[in-house]
Amino acid sequence: MALHHAGIPGQGEAGGDTVEVAQEVLTGCGGGGDAKPSAATTAAFSAPAVSASPADPDAAEKAAVLASYTSMWVEQMKAYRVASPDGTKLDDFATLDALSMFERDLATMKKNNTRVTGGVGHDAEVAELDMAAKIPTATVEDCIDLSKWKAERTTGEPIPLPTAQPLRYIATATVERWDDNRWMVTEYKPDGNQTC
């Protein structure tokens, strides 16, 4: 059985309302509107890992890449807490292409009256950085950790993770530096078959 990538970050399609809703909720984990990130969510993003030695000439760029990726996730968590992107700054950190999966998740969450109350852990690092490219590009590899993930219906009924869902899996993001020197996530690919 494949789980849907828009449900649980990095998974495929599954039948059944509970599994589908849990999967849809897990792709992008966020809060919305006026919701503030929980202490757990904020702590998970407060010190991104930079895979760079102290003498690494690209250390500052790698830190900027991870800051943009982390900010995208903080904004996603805001959106997922209220099943709406309203009031978030998602488009400051990610392109429409990268956000399309998360937008589908939010639509499904809204339709099914669900929200996220838990958090998602991250262990992200810059795996590749090409500053010589016409558009400087980085690849971020992240170990997504769902051990603190909680989803529920708006009635408060908990939605369990599907039994086949790995609690830790790899997601990869492509991040580009645009003309205004902003790093933008242009592609996000979770891979639930690659655990970490």
Side-chain angles (χ1 to χ4, degrees):
M1 166 175 79
L3 303 176
H4 189 287
H5 75 279
I8 297 173
Q11 304 304 305
E13 299 260 347
D17 187 45
T18 301
V19 171
E20 181 178 323
V21 171
Q23 292 168 344
E24 291 301 324
V25 168
L26 288 175
T27 302
C29 316
D34 298 326
K36 294 182 181 173
S38 69
T41 300
T42 304
F45 292 113
S46 60
V50 178
S51 59
S53 67
D56 185 347
D58 294 323
E61 292 296 344
K62 289 178 179 179
V65 167
L66 289 174
S68 184
Y69 178 79
T70 296
S71 295
M72 177 194 73
W73 266 102
V74 168
E75 295 302 312
Q76 282 177 223
M77 290 304 295
K78 289 178 187 176
Y80 279 95
R81 296 206 188 288
V82 295
S84 172
D86 295 345
T88 68
K89 297 178 182 176
L90 277 167
D91 57 355
D92 286 354
F93 306 106
T95 64
L96 291 176
D97 287 343
L99 294 175
S100 64
M101 175 176 50
F102 302 117
E103 292 288 338
R104 286 190 303 271
D105 290 346
L106 292 172
T108 300
M109 290 173 65
K110 189 171 198 139
K111 176 182 154 195
N112 292 315
N113 296 312
T114 61
R115 63 182 171 226
V116 173
T117 60
V120 174
H122 298 270
D123 186 10
E125 67 178 16
V126 176
E128 296 178 28
L129 180 65
D130 185 356
M131 294 302 296
K134 183 175 180 180
I135 298 174
T137 303
T139 300
V140 173
E141 289 185 1
D142 190 2
C143 179
I144 304 292
D145 181 354
L146 299 179
S147 62
K148 294 184 179 170
W149 179 263
K150 290 186 174 101
E152 67 182 20
R153 298 193 186 284
T154 53
T155 61
E157 175 190 354
I159 302 170
L161 286 172
T163 55
Q165 171 62 46
L167 289 180
R168 295 173 59 93
Y169 61 89
I170 297 291
T172 305
T174 301
V175 188
E176 296 178 352
R177 191 174 77 182
W178 288 10
D179 289 339
D180 58 1
N181 287 324
R182 266 189 317 159
W183 285 97
M184 294 287 288
V185 177
T186 58
E187 186 175 25
Y188 177 79
K189 291 183 181 179
D191 183 355
N193 294 319
Q194 188 177 357
T195 60
C196 52

